[in-house]
Amino acid sequence: MSGYEPPSGWNLPPGCFESDPAAPWNRPDPWEGRECRECRFCGSVSGGSLTAAICAYDAMTGEGPDVEAVSPYDGACECFEE
């Protein structure tokens, strides 16, 4: 079945159409409308009387040793995970 091409020319699952709002390719990205502080990679560090929010995505995924200072109320980025 690997070479199957439907008569319509579209390679979509049965019952789907390109602009179907329930189709996975038309759903909003999971980070849209979310804040950085909702992500599992966002944390806080304290030193003395100061507290700062950090993003530890690079450090936790092996993409780098760094953590990044962020505003917890900024919009979430593409690295967002619950």
Side-chain angles (χ1 to χ4, degrees):
M1 189 115 203
S2 63
Y4 175 74
E5 181 71 29
S8 67
W10 292 96
N11 190 13
L12 299 174
C16 286
F17 53 96
E18 185 178 12
S19 59
D20 182 359
W25 55 85
N26 289 330
R27 291 186 186 139
D29 292 320
W31 59 85
E32 287 185 21
R34 306 294 290 270
E35 292 180 341
C36 200
R37 65 190 173 118
E38 298 176 66
C39 178
R40 75 183 198 104
F41 296 114
C42 186
S44 61
V45 293
S46 298
S49 62
L50 300 175
T51 301
I54 58 163
C55 177
Y57 175 79
D58 289 342
M60 292 177 72
T61 59
E63 292 189 22
D66 300 329
V67 294
E68 181 180 351
V70 295
S71 169
Y73 301 102
D74 283 347
C77 66
E78 294 180 12
C79 303
F80 180 85
E81 289 185 20
E82 289 189 53

